[in-house]
Amino acid sequence: MAQIGYARVSTVDKQSTDLQTDALTAAGCERIFTDAASGAREDRKGLSDALNYARSGDIILVWRLDRLGRSLRHLIDVVNGLEERGVGLRSLTENIDTSSPGGRLIFHIFAALAECEKDIIRSRVSAGLVAARARGRIGGRPAVVDATKLAAMKAMVEQGMSASEVCKALGVSRATYFRYKAKEGA
């Protein structure tokens, strides 16, 4: 039985895997794979190498579950794939070990709670948006071109100014200019 470590940071320039690799080494990992990539990405070379390196009876160790992945679906898929191959997963910080029945239970409870929390947050956001709309608020970015700029844009076009001249005068991009021109017939 081998203990295989996996460490991940989101960016190369501002973060280091040192904390994670020190903890994994202290826990007895014989080999540690690393990545510098977002946890939302499923195509991480270090993770793929760690998963391919593991054999039946081995345990993959991570410092925290969020180092393995940010997506609940991805975490569950990884754990299920490991389980099918007889490989366990152990998280040092959360003290979860899927190589035991109790550890698998705890992992799935955490996964279910995380999914429930995500659904509650989604529901609250939707309710908040409905309440805001009922009060006349509209979400999204503020419009770059208001009625005054639109009138100025139309006047400048009628005077024969070029798109570049209009954009420079109003401080808008060419894409914004053409979008409003097509929409409003400026």
Side-chain angles (χ1 to χ4, degrees):
M1 176 181 102
Q3 294 193 110
I4 301 150
Y6 175 70
R8 180 188 63 79
V9 292
S10 296
T11 59
V12 177
D13 52 332
K14 295 184 182 179
Q15 298 177 335
S16 166
T17 59
D18 292 347
L19 171 70
Q20 297 173 57
T21 55
D22 290 348
L24 294 169
T25 300
C29 289
E30 67 178 42
R31 181 120 189 239
I32 299 173
F33 296 87
T34 62
D35 274 317
S38 168
R41 290 186 54 193
E42 294 182 19
D43 63 335
R44 291 174 267 146
K45 182 176 179 355
L47 178 59
S48 295
D49 291 347
L51 296 176
N52 291 332
Y53 184 81
R55 302 291 174 246
S56 181
D58 291 349
I59 296 178
I60 293 185
L61 275 76
V62 292
W63 183 62
R64 281 184 18 191
L65 283 177
D66 70 347
R67 300 297 85 200
L68 186 61
R70 298 258 183 202
S71 156
L72 177 62
R73 168 66 52 213
H74 182 244
L75 284 173
I76 290 172
D77 288 346
V78 168
V79 169
N80 287 340
L82 291 173
E83 194 173 302
E84 288 171 6
R85 296 174 38 215
V87 177
L89 173 71
R90 188 169 144 221
S91 170
L92 300 176
T93 304
E94 290 95 355
N95 201 21
I96 296 174
D97 185 350
T98 65
S99 63
S100 70
R104 283 191 299 276
L105 173 65
I106 296 298
F107 173 80
H108 287 289
I109 288 172
F110 276 9
L113 290 172
E115 188 166 342
C116 180
E117 180 182 17
K118 184 176 71 172
D119 290 342
I120 289 169
I121 290 169
R122 185 181 301 126
S123 174
R124 285 183 189 152
V125 168
S126 294
L129 289 172
V130 168
R133 282 189 202 106
R135 290 184 179 87
R137 288 182 162 171
I138 298 173
R141 294 176 64 178
V144 175
V145 177
D146 58 11
T148 306
K149 275 191 179 179
L150 186 59
M153 184 185 298
K154 287 179 180 179
M156 290 177 191
V157 169
E158 287 173 6
Q159 291 173 3
M161 291 178 72
S162 70
S164 296
E165 293 170 327
V166 172
C167 292
K168 187 173 183 179
L170 296 177
V172 298
S173 70
R174 290 179 61 83
T176 298
Y177 167 80
F178 285 110
R179 182 172 44 253
Y180 276 93
K181 185 173 181 188
K183 183 173 149 185
E184 299 292 332

